[in-house]
Amino acid sequence: MKAVVFKGPYDVAVENVPDPTIEAPLDAIVRITTANICGSDLHPYEGRAPLEAGMVLGHENMGVVEEVGPGVNRIKVGDRVSVPFNLACGTCRNCNDGFTSACLRANPSGDPGAGYGYPNMGGYWGGQAELLRVPWADFNLLELPAGSDFENDFTMLSDIFPTGYHGTELAQVRPGTSVAVFGAGPVGLMAAYSALLRGAYQVFVVDKQTDRLTLAEQLGATPINLADVDPADAILDATDGFGVDCGVEAVGYQAHDAAGEEHPEMVLDNLVKAVRATGHIGVVGVYNPSDPDAATESAKEGRIAFNYGEAFFKGISIASGQCPVKKYNRELRDLIIHGRATPSVIVSHELKLDEAAYAYDNFDKRADGWTKVLLKP
Amino acid sequence: MKAVVFKGPYDVAVENVPDPTIEAPLDAIVRITTANICGSDLHPYEGRAPLEAGMVLGHENMGVVEEVGPGVNRIKVGDRVSVPFNLACGTCRNCNDGFTSACLRANPSGDPGAGYGYPNMGGYWGGQAELLRVPWADFNLLELPAGSDFENDFTMLSDIFPTGYHGTELAQVRPGTSVAVFGAGPVGLMAAYSALLRGAYQVFVVDKQTDRLTLAEQLGATPINLADVDPADAILDATDGFGVDCGVEAVGYQAHDAAGEEHPEMVLDNLVKAVRATGHIGVVGVYNPSDPDAATESAKEGRIAFNYGEAFFKGISIASGQCPVKKYNRELRDLIIHGRATPSVIVSHELKLDEAAYAYDNFDKRADGWTKVLLKP
Amino acid sequence: MKAVVFKGPYDVAVENVPDPTIEAPLDAIVRITTANICGSDLHPYEGRAPLEAGMVLGHENMGVVEEVGPGVNRIKVGDRVSVPFNLACGTCRNCNDGFTSACLRANPSGDPGAGYGYPNMGGYWGGQAELLRVPWADFNLLELPAGSDFENDFTMLSDIFPTGYHGTELAQVRPGTSVAVFGAGPVGLMAAYSALLRGAYQVFVVDKQTDRLTLAEQLGATPINLADVDPADAILDATDGFGVDCGVEAVGYQAHDAAGEEHPEMVLDNLVKAVRATGHIGVVGVYNPSDPDAATESAKEGRIAFNYGEAFFKGISIASGQCPVKKYNRELRDLIIHGRATPSVIVSHELKLDEAAYAYDNFDKRADGWTKVLLKP
Amino acid sequence: MKAVVFKGPYDVAVENVPDPTIEAPLDAIVRITTANICGSDLHPYEGRAPLEAGMVLGHENMGVVEEVGPGVNRIKVGDRVSVPFNLACGTCRNCNDGFTSACLRANPSGDPGAGYGYPNMGGYWGGQAELLRVPWADFNLLELPAGSDFENDFTMLSDIFPTGYHGTELAQVRPGTSVAVFGAGPVGLMAAYSALLRGAYQVFVVDKQTDRLTLAEQLGATPINLADVDPADAILDATDGFGVDCGVEAVGYQAHDAAGEEHPEMVLDNLVKAVRATGHIGVVGVYNPSDPDAATESAKEGRIAFNYGEAFFKGISIASGQCPVKKYNRELRDLIIHGRATPSVIVSHELKLDEAAYAYDNFDKRADGWTKVLLKP
């Protein structure tokens, strides 16, 4: 089959690789119809996260079931399915508790959590390819209505729509709250969209890229350009000095200021300032236990010297971590089917699988208008 | 009346001061029967927090109502009452939401939250005295059964029993969970006690003072002496490498290692390591937005460079802040009345108000066996 | 002042009555700008609930503060305010817990819960008048922006918008759920509106009055006319036989079938059938502990012989009761201010206070198009 | 193998039947070490629920894994395990949501929920036998420490300890609440025990059998004999007329009054009266959608004419249904392992499998002292 293969930093290629096969009784093989490029694909692409040459990339996948193992008893060949980016066993303690993001059995390394397209997430091949092997298929796959309706909406169900939504869940967004989302990348936009869906009365979105801020405004949010104003001050001004009820971090450790300098503590500092006393912060932007390429010794050890003292003083909670997609994807699917959510509004590009190298290059450069890229094998 | 007056660092005295009076229609005057010394009284005592000479100290108060203002319509003269350390208006947004710890109206400075005995908490005189003025008395006072039964248990209701309990609430302790409490001071002991009351199956308590660890063990907890072992490693070893479900921080920014050196990030680092992926940390040990006497420039700004990267990676939530006492004190009172909680087990000394200077001196030195001191005016 | 006075069954009149005065230090007097007629005003109007001649009616009130007692310290003369229909003391156990609907002190009878315009709710005069006395004003009144903007939206905050919303809270409506609301009166319409606001993907509304069903459809709901189809069967058919996740009862004990016959168990029976196994029912339609005018002996004792056996078998929860308005009115107000909720869409008539008798007559007859009537003193 | 076989009403026998075999890739065969007799086994035993002759009885099972199918990847031969009474697929919508009690796929009839030993729960053979086939073994089985420690405690994990606990969860028991449990059978006793474990300050237990009430008292509860007093009045008297915060129904539709007459609405009536306004009722005693042998026409249709009008008026929630055992069994197991729960205190008899007929006869007669019977194959 054809697949997007990692060759080295800033180098991906579409190559022929062996077809995946049923390796265990609960496996399924999915023929991919859409696979998205994710911002976190850029971490290894930029050489900022380890990835060995030869790995097939991609963890935002959907398609049609082509084959199932002998132990699969729910999913059937021909089912159209969304594949959550977390790969989970369905029977360990964390899966039982709904934390498929911290499955204790799917990652041979023993670390909690597995996924597609990363060596440290279990080494499972990704889905930017014609075919994908999905272990524990009955548990992992979400059924979709047959056909091709809503394809570009449903493709958001594997990661960024649930991940943005998870940010709003961690931040405890409920009807009648105000929200600040830092980061207007795909996840930040989905967080803002989710906050409005959950009944927030006002959602601020902070970024410095005007194309993305324009999109945020079109979704119903209030854009704030950090190149123009101090974003926390702007939010305090707009809320009588109290701050917003809820904050979502959708940037991560690679946060850059308006001058382009990296400050891993910048977004958390801003959120602690912009969120009201007794408020809540949800962090879905990625931070790592260690970051060898960070600017400071402290940051290399995963230390983030944000103003926690103020967070304590204000009684703010900070909830963090990867999204357990299965916790949300059914409900979000049903909102799409009934016309009440249209996450595809942020899609900027639909390309062929063969155009992957071109797509990675532009998406990595944050080229103007490249918000979200879908590959169609 | 007689009262404990702050004269300057390491200097308190029992002096005659004017009796408090009804200043507003909703005020009450309480004749104090017991007032405790709290670990946070030591911050100004040591000169580590600002306090002006002449202030009456004390925020852990109980007694009998002596007089009420004309607008008081629930509480009556003669009622025996517990006085929560948070002083709250009962009608602002945060009070409505149950966050009396962040009352928006009681502190003239405009900061959320007010209390007794601190200039930055509204400047209200404390209760280590014969009499105490309590604003918004109907809202703030908790009725107790008449008489003198359970006096040393009830006196824990104004602060440390609810505060320890709040730590376990923030840490999401529920039946069948494992818990690590860092700090075996009065609040840490009350947190461990609360965790067991809430059905934890195992509670570790970490400290370096053997008298306090012995007390923890008597309460049913498993003591860990950080002078002997790396506490996070010890907890991981005892939990098959997974860590505990819940962690409580009951130390604060003045954490000292076994060698007596201050490390503001030490306890959070240990908790992030000792708490399992998907777990929860509740912080009731105090951190401040700024700390001019801290050892590092970063800490002076309230920055705590703990390993947040690992917290994100493990999907751990961190909830923080002062306890809103009214959220818990009725239920804890009822447990005491029915013989199901006996927080007085940690009381080490009952002294006369006149002995306050002696008491402060020994409690500040953490003299052996000085766990919790009650003053009896 | 002029006020709507109850004279006897089917007889109300606008008469001159004495102005209310400050009776206690925490009272305020509100000059009414809008007072709505509520469906529950019809219970005494029809003689179905006890009411003594001379009582001023009305519990859906808003206006401007005219005078405050000496103990009022938050609300100021000139404040524009919404008056929750529950009248609550703010300091009893149930108020502390957020259940202003079950205040233990405001109703002299000792029953939990007090309100305006009913003898059994404490005997407080209602607000279909020029002026209204509001006890415990700081606690009860919700501030609104000065001026007259959003008047017909804000007037929904005293009762039916929070009450409809409460139905969806009791029914545990969250994003991505399906909902069935029985009853398309003002409360049912507000419940359907709230369910959509909370992110439901589909909301069915069941009634037999076509004008109300048309309004439900305009709000975004799916109407079902029980005169045409069996409503539970229709819902099961539309949900692959599983039923909806959440059901809201907005009818009460006076439910009538398509033929006009009263069946107190009819709506609960339908909900138990139409809600899926593991689902939730929220009941805000009124049932009473006794109902002397009911058709059967059992119903006279408040017994409702619905199919509880099936509810148990399906594992359905049933949560019930009057709305504690303060739990929701601030958030709903903020949604109105920011243009994200417009509950005034259901207003059909704005009349002068003098037209009250005409308004009661038509509203009681459910005259076509009389959905919601506002009186403007 | 030998197994307890249902022959007809009041007639069970231990007979030789074919050994179970691996029928599907995810099956396991468990060698039973302990199988309890449950109160709900008595429904078919008495002919009150349908059961065909030849069925192997028993749904409270534990043992050691003897064989696993080729798709089983977590559980291993030799593992000591508890078998939840609910048999669930682990991948349907309800299992995903934690409602293994309403699995949509395990019961071929299409009804939600499956189990062992009942024709209407899927027709799976029970475990009062030497061997038991467990479908979807990785999902359903709970691992226990190897060996034989805590055998009589662990055997409570398959049903009654979680079921009693579930009653307290549905009733929202938390620290500092008061609770009334109706029914002192094994489930009621486990509910009372769970309530105390969760921190209730007082637990009333109502029954008319003195041996069971004595046991309740030994567990720490306050017994009330309904043969001596009106139980709701007694509870109101003991709670200053307010009633308890939480009520648990552990009796079901076959409730008998002190005179031995059956009243299906009796327990709900009492709970609605004895639970305070704003309180919560959890129902784990069984009610059925239809009951052909009931005394009244209404009850035959599953209608229970309790005073719902009063429940609405008091704002009481009623949550109901079978326990999803997996939601609780891990935590309860860990409490047992660490010595903090000892549910075996209610075991009255340990018998050989061969003594099953004798055991059923005595347990059905509620012979004095026959509280809980364990069979040891």
Side-chain angles (χ1 to χ4, degrees):
Chain A
M1 67 167 182
K2 287 205 286 190
V4 179
V5 176
F6 180 74
K7 312 295 289 180
Y10 301 101
D11 186 8
V12 301
V14 177
E15 299 188 343
N16 277 309
V17 298
D19 280 7
T21 56
I22 298 291
E23 298 179 17
L26 299 181
D27 285 358
I29 305 296
V30 173
R31 181 161 294 277
I32 299 299
T33 54
T34 304
N36 318 325
I37 303 179
C38 179
S40 53
D41 289 328
L42 301 179
H43 299 168
Y45 182 78
E46 297 171 359
R48 190 71 179 261
L51 192 61
E52 63 214 13
M55 188 82 181
V56 176
L57 294 166
H59 57 265
E60 300 193 0
N61 307 309
M62 70 177 291
V64 175
V65 176
E66 179 111 344
E67 188 183 354
V68 298
V72 174
N73 56 84
R74 189 177 70 89
I75 290 293
K76 287 177 293 297
V77 170
D79 283 355
R80 187 187 185 201
V81 291
S82 171
V83 188
F85 82 85
N86 336 275
L87 193 167
C89 78
T91 61
C92 73
R93 172 184 157 158
N94 287 351
C95 284
N96 280 342
D97 286 355
F99 287 106
T100 52
S101 50
C103 173
L104 295 168
R105 299 178 60 239
N107 191 337
S109 77
D111 278 344
Y116 303 88
Y118 290 100
N120 64 339
M121 295 292 275
Y124 299 90
W125 273 15
Q128 293 170 3
E130 290 175 304
L131 296 168
L132 175 71
R133 180 173 77 93
V134 177
W136 295 287
D138 278 334
F139 182 69
N140 283 303
L141 295 174
L142 176 74
E143 323 84 280
L144 303 171
S148 59
D149 285 353
F150 302 113
E151 179 83 9
N152 289 1
D153 294 302
F154 287 150
T155 195
M156 300 303 170
L157 292 173
S158 56
D159 183 350
I160 65 166
F161 193 11
T163 292
Y165 190 91
H166 186 55
T168 64
E169 176 84 6
L170 294 178
Q172 304 188 25
V173 176
R174 38 187 192 78
T177 52
S178 54
V179 183
V181 177
F182 277 71
V187 167
L189 290 169
M190 285 294 99
Y193 191 66
S194 297
L196 292 164
L197 202 70
R198 291 165 76 107
Y201 71 76
Q202 184 163 29
V203 179
F204 300 96
V205 174
V206 177
D207 206 302
K208 58 182 179 178
Q209 283 192 251
T210 51
D211 58 333
R212 294 181 168 188
L213 288 169
T214 302
L215 200 42
E217 194 166 16
Q218 286 165 3
L219 295 174
T222 305
I224 295 177
N225 193 327
L226 66 89
D228 300 337
V229 293
D230 177 286
D233 282 341
I235 291 165
L236 288 170
D237 286 350
T239 53
D240 296 328
F242 288 110
V244 286
D245 302 303
C246 312
V248 179
E249 208 291 11
V251 176
Y253 67 108
Q254 289 177 303
H256 290 74
D257 64 19
E261 204 176 326
E262 188 168 311
H263 296 283
E265 78 293 348
M266 184 181 76
V267 180
L268 287 172
D269 267 358
N270 270 281
L271 281 165
V272 168
K273 187 174 173 189
V275 168
R276 62 179 288 134
T278 77
H280 303 282
I281 295 173
V283 183
V284 289
V286 174
Y287 292 79
N288 285 317
S290 72
D291 177 18
D293 299 321
T296 68
E297 283 310 303
S298 186
K300 285 180 187 177
E301 296 174 0
R303 300 182 174 283
I304 309 295
F306 70 99
N307 195 332
Y308 173 72
E310 189 172 350
F312 177 89
F313 185 73
K314 294 173 78 172
I316 290 173
S317 78
I318 302 174
S320 313
Q322 276 197 355
C323 173
V325 170
K326 262 182 81 79
K327 191 173 171 191
Y328 312 110
N329 63 359
R330 184 189 75 222
E331 286 86 345
L332 298 178
R333 174 199 68 189
D334 291 344
L335 286 163
I336 292 170
I337 292 174
H338 289 83
R340 298 192 62 81
T342 314
S344 61
V345 288
I346 68 160
V347 174
S348 59
H349 293 76
E350 296 182 63
L351 300 173
K352 292 179 190 161
L353 190 64
D354 288 334
E355 299 172 285
Y358 162 74
Y360 267 85
D361 183 42
N362 277 282
F363 188 54
D364 183 56
K365 289 173 177 157
R366 283 162 181 67
D368 194 53
W370 284 71
T371 313
K372 187 68 186 174
V373 184
L374 315 188
L375 299 177
K376 304 280 183 173
Chain B
M1 65 168 182
K2 286 204 287 190
V4 179
V5 177
F6 180 74
K7 312 296 289 180
Y10 301 100
D11 186 8
V12 301
V14 177
E15 299 188 342
N16 276 308
V17 299
D19 281 5
T21 57
I22 299 291
E23 299 179 16
L26 300 181
D27 285 358
I29 304 296
V30 174
R31 181 162 294 275
I32 298 298
T33 52
T34 305
N36 319 326
I37 303 179
C38 178
S40 55
D41 289 328
L42 302 179
H43 299 168
Y45 182 78
E46 298 171 358
R48 188 75 179 258
L51 191 62
E52 63 213 13
M55 188 81 181
V56 176
L57 294 165
H59 58 265
E60 300 193 0
N61 307 308
M62 69 176 291
V64 175
V65 176
E66 178 110 348
E67 187 183 355
V68 298
V72 174
N73 57 86
R74 190 177 70 89
I75 289 292
K76 288 176 294 296
V77 170
D79 283 355
R80 185 186 185 202
V81 292
S82 171
V83 189
F85 81 86
N86 337 272
L87 193 167
C89 78
T91 62
C92 72
R93 172 185 157 158
N94 287 351
C95 284
N96 280 340
D97 287 354
F99 287 106
T100 52
S101 49
C103 174
L104 294 167
R105 300 177 60 241
N107 190 337
S109 76
D111 279 342
Y116 304 89
Y118 291 99
N120 64 338
M121 296 291 277
Y124 299 91
W125 273 14
Q128 292 169 2
E130 290 176 304
L131 295 168
L132 175 70
R133 180 175 75 94
V134 177
W136 296 287
D138 278 334
F139 182 69
N140 283 304
L141 295 174
L142 176 74
E143 323 85 283
L144 303 172
S148 60
D149 285 352
F150 303 112
E151 180 85 7
N152 289 1
D153 294 301
F154 287 151
T155 195
M156 301 301 169
L157 291 172
S158 56
D159 183 348
I160 63 164
F161 192 13
T163 292
Y165 190 90
H166 185 53
T168 63
E169 176 85 5
L170 295 177
Q172 304 187 25
V173 176
R174 40 187 189 77
T177 51
S178 54
V179 183
V181 177
F182 277 71
V187 168
L189 291 169
M190 286 293 98
Y193 192 64
S194 297
L196 291 165
L197 203 69
R198 292 165 76 107
Y201 72 76
Q202 184 163 29
V203 179
F204 300 96
V205 174
V206 178
D207 206 302
K208 58 182 178 177
Q209 283 193 251
T210 51
D211 59 332
R212 293 181 169 187
L213 288 170
T214 301
L215 202 41
E217 194 166 15
Q218 286 165 4
L219 295 174
T222 305
I224 294 178
N225 193 327
L226 65 88
D228 301 335
V229 293
D230 178 286
D233 282 341
I235 291 166
L236 288 170
D237 286 349
T239 54
D240 296 328
F242 288 110
V244 286
D245 302 303
C246 311
V248 178
E249 209 289 11
V251 177
Y253 67 108
Q254 288 177 300
H256 289 73
D257 63 18
E261 205 177 324
E262 186 167 314
H263 296 283
E265 79 292 347
M266 184 181 75
V267 180
L268 288 172
D269 267 358
N270 270 282
L271 281 165
V272 168
K273 187 174 173 190
V275 169
R276 61 178 288 134
T278 78
H280 304 282
I281 295 172
V283 184
V284 289
V286 174
Y287 292 79
N288 285 317
S290 71
D291 177 17
D293 299 321
T296 69
E297 283 311 303
S298 186
K300 285 180 186 177
E301 296 174 1
R303 300 182 175 283
I304 309 294
F306 70 100
N307 194 331
Y308 173 72
E310 188 172 350
F312 176 88
F313 186 74
K314 293 173 77 171
I316 290 172
S317 79
I318 302 173
S320 312
Q322 276 196 355
C323 173
V325 170
K326 262 183 80 80
K327 192 174 171 192
Y328 313 110
N329 62 359
R330 185 189 73 224
E331 287 87 344
L332 297 178
R333 174 199 67 189
D334 291 345
L335 285 163
I336 291 169
I337 293 174
H338 288 83
R340 299 192 60 81
T342 313
S344 62
V345 287
I346 69 160
V347 173
S348 59
H349 293 76
E350 295 181 62
L351 301 173
K352 294 180 189 163
L353 191 64
D354 287 335
E355 299 172 284
Y358 163 72
Y360 268 84
D361 183 42
N362 278 281
F363 189 54
D364 183 57
K365 288 174 178 158
R366 284 163 182 67
D368 193 55
W370 284 71
T371 314
K372 187 69 185 174
V373 183
L374 315 188
L375 300 176
K376 303 281 184 173
Chain C
M1 66 169 181
K2 286 204 288 190
V4 179
V5 176
F6 180 74
K7 311 297 288 180
Y10 301 100
D11 186 9
V12 301
V14 177
E15 299 188 343
N16 277 307
V17 299
D19 281 6
T21 56
I22 299 291
E23 298 180 15
L26 299 182
D27 284 359
I29 305 296
V30 174
R31 182 161 294 276
I32 298 298
T33 54
T34 305
N36 318 326
I37 303 179
C38 179
S40 55
D41 289 329
L42 301 179
H43 298 168
Y45 183 79
E46 296 172 0
R48 189 74 179 258
L51 193 61
E52 63 213 13
M55 187 83 181
V56 177
L57 294 166
H59 58 265
E60 300 193 0
N61 307 309
M62 69 177 291
V64 175
V65 175
E66 179 110 348
E67 188 183 355
V68 297
V72 174
N73 56 85
R74 190 178 70 88
I75 290 292
K76 288 177 293 297
V77 170
D79 283 355
R80 186 186 186 202
V81 292
S82 172
V83 188
F85 81 86
N86 336 274
L87 194 166
C89 77
T91 62
C92 72
R93 171 184 158 158
N94 287 351
C95 284
N96 280 341
D97 287 354
F99 287 107
T100 52
S101 49
C103 173
L104 294 168
R105 299 178 60 240
N107 191 337
S109 77
D111 279 342
Y116 304 89
Y118 290 99
N120 64 338
M121 296 292 276
Y124 299 91
W125 273 15
Q128 292 170 4
E130 290 174 305
L131 295 167
L132 175 71
R133 180 174 77 92
V134 177
W136 295 287
D138 279 333
F139 182 70
N140 283 304
L141 295 174
L142 176 74
E143 324 84 280
L144 303 172
S148 60
D149 286 352
F150 302 112
E151 180 84 7
N152 289 1
D153 294 302
F154 288 149
T155 194
M156 301 302 169
L157 292 173
S158 56
D159 182 351
I160 65 165
F161 193 11
T163 292
Y165 190 89
H166 185 55
T168 64
E169 175 85 4
L170 294 178
Q172 303 187 26
V173 176
R174 38 186 191 78
T177 51
S178 54
V179 183
V181 177
F182 277 72
V187 168
L189 290 169
M190 286 293 98
Y193 191 64
S194 297
L196 291 164
L197 203 69
R198 291 166 75 108
Y201 72 77
Q202 184 163 28
V203 179
F204 300 95
V205 174
V206 177
D207 206 302
K208 60 183 178 177
Q209 282 193 253
T210 51
D211 59 333
R212 294 181 167 187
L213 288 170
T214 301
L215 201 42
E217 194 165 16
Q218 287 165 3
L219 295 175
T222 305
I224 294 177
N225 192 327
L226 67 88
D228 300 337
V229 293
D230 177 287
D233 282 341
I235 291 165
L236 289 170
D237 286 350
T239 52
D240 296 328
F242 289 110
V244 287
D245 302 303
C246 312
V248 179
E249 207 291 11
V251 176
Y253 67 107
Q254 288 176 302
H256 290 73
D257 64 18
E261 204 176 325
E262 187 168 313
H263 297 282
E265 79 293 348
M266 184 182 77
V267 180
L268 287 172
D269 267 358
N270 270 281
L271 280 165
V272 168
K273 187 174 172 188
V275 168
R276 61 177 288 133
T278 78
H280 304 281
I281 295 173
V283 183
V284 288
V286 173
Y287 292 78
N288 285 316
S290 71
D291 177 18
D293 299 321
T296 68
E297 283 311 302
S298 185
K300 285 180 186 177
E301 296 174 1
R303 301 182 174 283
I304 309 294
F306 70 100
N307 194 332
Y308 173 71
E310 188 172 351
F312 176 89
F313 185 74
K314 294 174 78 173
I316 290 172
S317 79
I318 303 173
S320 311
Q322 276 197 357
C323 174
V325 169
K326 261 183 82 78
K327 192 174 171 190
Y328 313 110
N329 63 0
R330 184 189 74 223
E331 287 86 345
L332 297 178
R333 174 199 69 189
D334 291 344
L335 286 163
I336 291 170
I337 292 173
H338 289 83
R340 299 192 60 82
T342 313
S344 62
V345 288
I346 69 160
V347 173
S348 60
H349 293 78
E350 296 182 62
L351 300 172
K352 293 179 190 163
L353 191 63
D354 288 335
E355 299 171 286
Y358 163 73
Y360 268 84
D361 183 42
N362 278 280
F363 188 55
D364 183 58
K365 288 173 178 158
R366 284 162 181 67
D368 194 53
W370 284 70
T371 315
K372 187 68 186 175
V373 183
L374 315 187
L375 300 176
K376 303 282 184 172
Chain D
M1 66 167 182
K2 286 204 286 188
V4 179
V5 176
F6 180 73
K7 312 295 289 180
Y10 301 102
D11 186 7
V12 300
V14 177
E15 299 187 344
N16 276 307
V17 298
D19 281 5
T21 57
I22 299 290
E23 299 179 16
L26 300 181
D27 284 358
I29 305 296
V30 173
R31 181 162 294 276
I32 298 299
T33 53
T34 305
N36 319 325
I37 303 179
C38 179
S40 54
D41 290 327
L42 302 179
H43 299 167
Y45 182 78
E46 298 172 358
R48 190 72 180 260
L51 192 61
E52 63 213 13
M55 188 81 180
V56 176
L57 293 166
H59 57 266
E60 300 194 359
N61 306 309
M62 69 177 291
V64 175
V65 175
E66 177 112 346
E67 187 184 354
V68 297
V72 174
N73 56 85
R74 190 177 69 89
I75 290 291
K76 287 177 294 297
V77 170
D79 283 356
R80 187 187 184 200
V81 293
S82 171
V83 189
F85 82 86
N86 336 274
L87 194 167
C89 78
T91 61
C92 73
R93 171 183 160 160
N94 287 351
C95 283
N96 281 340
D97 287 355
F99 286 107
T100 51
S101 49
C103 173
L104 294 168
R105 301 177 60 240
N107 191 337
S109 76
D111 279 342
Y116 303 89
Y118 289 99
N120 64 339
M121 295 293 275
Y124 299 90
W125 272 15
Q128 292 169 2
E130 289 175 304
L131 296 167
L132 175 70
R133 180 174 77 92
V134 177
W136 296 286
D138 278 333
F139 182 70
N140 283 304
L141 294 175
L142 175 74
E143 322 84 281
L144 302 173
S148 59
D149 285 354
F150 302 114
E151 179 83 9
N152 289 1
D153 293 302
F154 287 150
T155 194
M156 300 302 169
L157 292 173
S158 57
D159 183 350
I160 64 166
F161 192 12
T163 291
Y165 190 91
H166 185 54
T168 64
E169 176 84 6
L170 295 177
Q172 304 187 25
V173 176
R174 39 187 192 78
T177 51
S178 54
V179 183
V181 177
F182 277 71
V187 167
L189 290 170
M190 286 293 98
Y193 191 65
S194 298
L196 291 165
L197 203 69
R198 293 166 74 108
Y201 71 77
Q202 185 163 30
V203 179
F204 299 96
V205 174
V206 178
D207 205 302
K208 58 182 178 178
Q209 284 193 251
T210 50
D211 58 333
R212 294 182 168 186
L213 288 170
T214 300
L215 201 42
E217 195 165 16
Q218 286 165 2
L219 295 174
T222 306
I224 295 177
N225 193 328
L226 66 88
D228 300 337
V229 293
D230 178 288
D233 282 341
I235 291 166
L236 289 169
D237 286 349
T239 54
D240 295 328
F242 287 111
V244 286
D245 302 303
C246 312
V248 178
E249 208 289 12
V251 177
Y253 67 108
Q254 289 177 301
H256 289 74
D257 63 18
E261 205 177 325
E262 187 168 313
H263 296 282
E265 79 292 348
M266 183 181 76
V267 180
L268 288 172
D269 267 358
N270 270 282
L271 281 165
V272 168
K273 187 174 173 190
V275 169
R276 62 179 287 134
T278 78
H280 303 282
I281 296 172
V283 183
V284 288
V286 174
Y287 292 79
N288 286 316
S290 72
D291 177 18
D293 299 321
T296 69
E297 283 311 302
S298 186
K300 285 179 187 178
E301 295 174 1
R303 300 182 174 283
I304 309 294
F306 70 100
N307 194 332
Y308 173 73
E310 189 172 351
F312 176 88
F313 184 74
K314 294 173 78 172
I316 290 172
S317 78
I318 302 173
S320 312
Q322 276 196 356
C323 173
V325 170
K326 262 182 79 79
K327 191 174 173 191
Y328 312 110
N329 62 0
R330 185 189 73 223
E331 287 86 347
L332 297 179
R333 175 199 66 189
D334 291 344
L335 286 163
I336 291 169
I337 292 174
H338 289 82
R340 298 192 61 82
T342 313
S344 61
V345 289
I346 69 160
V347 173
S348 59
H349 293 76
E350 296 181 62
L351 301 172
K352 294 180 189 162
L353 191 64
D354 287 334
E355 299 171 286
Y358 163 74
Y360 268 84
D361 182 42
N362 278 281
F363 188 55
D364 183 57
K365 286 173 178 159
R366 283 162 182 68
D368 194 54
W370 284 71
T371 313
K372 186 67 184 175
V373 182
L374 315 188
L375 300 177
K376 304 281 183 172

